Amino acid sequence: MTNPNGKSGFKTNTLRLILGDQLNPTHSWFKQVNQQTLYVLMEIRQETDYVLHHAQKIIAVFAGMRALAQALRAGGHRVHYLTINDPMNRHEISANLSFLIAHYGAQKLEYQAPDEWRLDQQMRDFARTADLPCQVVSSEHFYTEQDEAATLFAGKKSWLMEQFYRAMRKKHQVLLDDANHPVGGKWNYDHDNRKAWSGTPIEPIDKRPQHDHSALWDSIQAAGVKSFGEPQAAHFRWPLNREEAHLQLDEFVQHALPFFGEFQDAMSHKAWRLFHSLLSFALNTKMLNPKEVVQRVESAWQTGSVPLSAAEGYIRQIIGWREYIRGIYWHSMPNYRERNAFNHQAELPAWFWTGKTKMRCLAQAIGQSLQHAHAHHIQRLMVIGNFSLLAGLNPQRLHEWYLGVYIDAFEWVELPNTLGMSQFADGGMLATKPYVSSAAYIDKMSDYCKGCHYDKKQRIGEKACPFNAMYWDFFARNEASLAKNPRIGMAYVQLRKMDASAKEALAKQANAFRQNLETL
């Protein structure tokens, strides 16, 4: 018999490494039990410390890893699990692997392909210098291969997500009729998915199970791991395993998906979840497979449970945007991380870590992120990202904040969304225009402006909303690079109608805001 960490007289022929975002118990690795195979999972400072992470993110990944290890042992597999405070833990993947290979006399190392470039390089470097054969296998998770998007757009001047999305729909036969045309006659119902939320229908009840991870949190703190945000360890709501993730998927499809399409861009201080699935953590740690989620949503439309616009809108996020972003990431790394097209250098103000700002929209979006380790795409893009781009915050520092604060943020999906979509730091490789707005958009899609210290309608003055002056000044400062962009032409039409004194006043106001970010 083995003890909990697999040490015994059993011969260990093969070590198999499982990373913290590879928590898929249905992987083909686990179909057969082989007592000569040892599975290795590690809680390591290398991964907790490379950026400052939200407390809930650290807890969730560790809890998910522990749950998978327990399930594997229950299934008869041998597991060596290095906890954060294990005295044998070297807190670095390569060092731990070298120790365990020698300790168990392993003859072979296998690992699933990492999704982050830095880990992929680390494992490649280890394999080149190891004294045993090393084999990389598929994680069996994504619709596409790493280079599939690049192959689709080979020889073309630009990439378009919509073109990629349609190709994926056709290839995988999703929401198509018998003639291979999109059901309903349209590929995309995004235009129908932009309603503000007035309070009805009510936000579905949060039925996610609660866990007490106080002991785990105590061990994380005792190990000296630094973090930010609220841990909520005693009443933790993020899924531990595949079963809980499936229950969450069922609840979403039944109670939230019918309204997701209409209100996916809406924001309110009264309801932080609204009709979002909160499945991204389970997806990105591979507890759930994207194909089963897409099939579940498509089935709900087929049975008449949800409108087509809701089903298509959600499926587009997974089979379209999620896979497309991954293609951008692997095509562009490692240099993509350093892109900074506007040469923005401002540091993030301290209230990014406290939520204490007089701008109510940012206090809500950042405060929610700190409380729940989650915000939906419009909060991330059109509130936090919008402000960051207008204020000239350094995109690399912003990337590190996004990567740390959100429970679903792993670099392959977060980096292109932050640098490309949100900050236009890649100069337009990903997004066709900078996603910026004045206060008018935020007021249209939310109730954040009501009761704010600043006046959403004012451009100039002590009470003027910072978004307004900074919006117009952003376009004025970047006219040389943006004026010919056909998607933002109207902004320059309006800007050119302003007289010189008005533009000068806006520039002065915007500069004052940028010079005093800490006090906003």
Side-chain angles (χ1 to χ4, degrees), residues 167-345:
M168 290 299 102
R169 287 264 298 270
K170 291 179 179 179
K171 178 177 179 178
H172 299 284
Q173 293 295 293
V174 177
L175 292 178
L176 297 180
D177 61 23
D178 293 338
N180 221 33
H181 297 146
V183 293
K186 292 168 57 178
W187 288 103
N188 190 312
Y189 289 84
D190 186 51
H191 191 269
D192 299 331
N193 298 340
R194 301 174 183 174
K195 290 185 180 179
W197 182 69
S198 62
T200 55
I202 62 172
E203 180 185 54
I205 297 171
D206 189 355
K207 295 184 179 179
R208 294 176 298 161
Q210 296 193 47
H211 300 280
D212 187 349
H213 289 317
S214 300
L216 173 57
W217 177 235
D218 288 344
S219 71
I220 291 169
Q221 290 185 296
V225 176
K226 303 299 182 184
S227 65
F228 69 115
E230 298 182 24
Q232 298 190 14
H235 44 90
F236 204 78
R237 304 304 296 266
W238 297 100
L240 288 181
N241 52 47
R242 180 171 169 79
E243 291 71 29
E244 290 184 359
H246 265 284
L247 290 174
Q248 192 172 324
L249 173 60
D250 291 341
E251 284 294 316
F252 166 66
V253 171
Q254 183 177 354
H255 299 292
L257 181 58
F259 311 107
F260 169 80
E262 294 176 88
F263 302 108
Q264 64 174 290
D265 288 1
M267 300 174 285
S268 175
H269 76 282
K270 299 176 182 178
W272 74 273
R273 292 177 295 109
L274 278 175
F275 306 103
H276 293 271
S277 70
L278 306 189
L279 290 172
S280 51
F281 170 72
L283 274 167
N284 292 351
T285 54
K286 303 178 182 60
M287 294 179 188
L288 286 178
N289 187 284
K291 293 181 181 179
E292 63 187 333
V293 176
V294 168
Q295 289 166 1
R296 183 77 170 82
V297 171
E298 185 175 24
S299 177
W301 167 73
Q302 290 170 338
T303 59
S305 301
V306 301
L308 179 57
S309 61
E312 186 279 321
Y314 193 79
I315 286 172
R316 184 177 354 114
Q317 298 300 317
I318 297 177
I319 198 172
W321 191 250
R322 187 171 184 262
E323 299 283 338
Y324 181 69
I325 283 289
R326 180 170 176 260
I328 290 277
Y329 177 79
W330 284 105
H331 177 69
S332 307
M333 288 296 285
N335 296 326
Y336 194 86
R337 190 189 292 116
E338 305 307 318
R339 300 284 183 88
N340 190 351
F342 295 117
N343 194 29
H344 286 169
Q345 299 297 339

Side-chain angles (χ1 to χ4, degrees), residues 141-155:
H141 179 77
F142 293 97
Y143 275 93
T144 57
E145 300 298 326
Q146 289 180 351
D147 61 351
E148 193 163 336
T151 300
L152 178 66
F153 293 107

Side-chain angles (χ1 to χ4, degrees), residues 43-62:
E43 299 173 358
I44 50 178
R45 295 292 297 270
Q46 171 190 312
E47 293 306 288
T48 61
D49 296 4
Y50 72 98
V51 295
L52 187 66
H53 285 100
H54 196 293
Q56 287 182 46
K57 186 177 184 182
I58 301 170
I59 294 171
V61 172
F62 283 9

Side-chain angles (χ1 to χ4, degrees), residues 359 453-469 509 513 520:
M359 291 175 285
H453 171 83
Y454 296 102
D455 187 335
K456 64 188 179 185
K457 295 183 178 179
Q458 289 189 31
R459 296 179 178 178
I460 305 297
E462 183 181 347
K463 289 287 187 177
C465 174
F467 279 91
N468 293 333
Q509 180 86 61
F513 286 140
L520 293 181

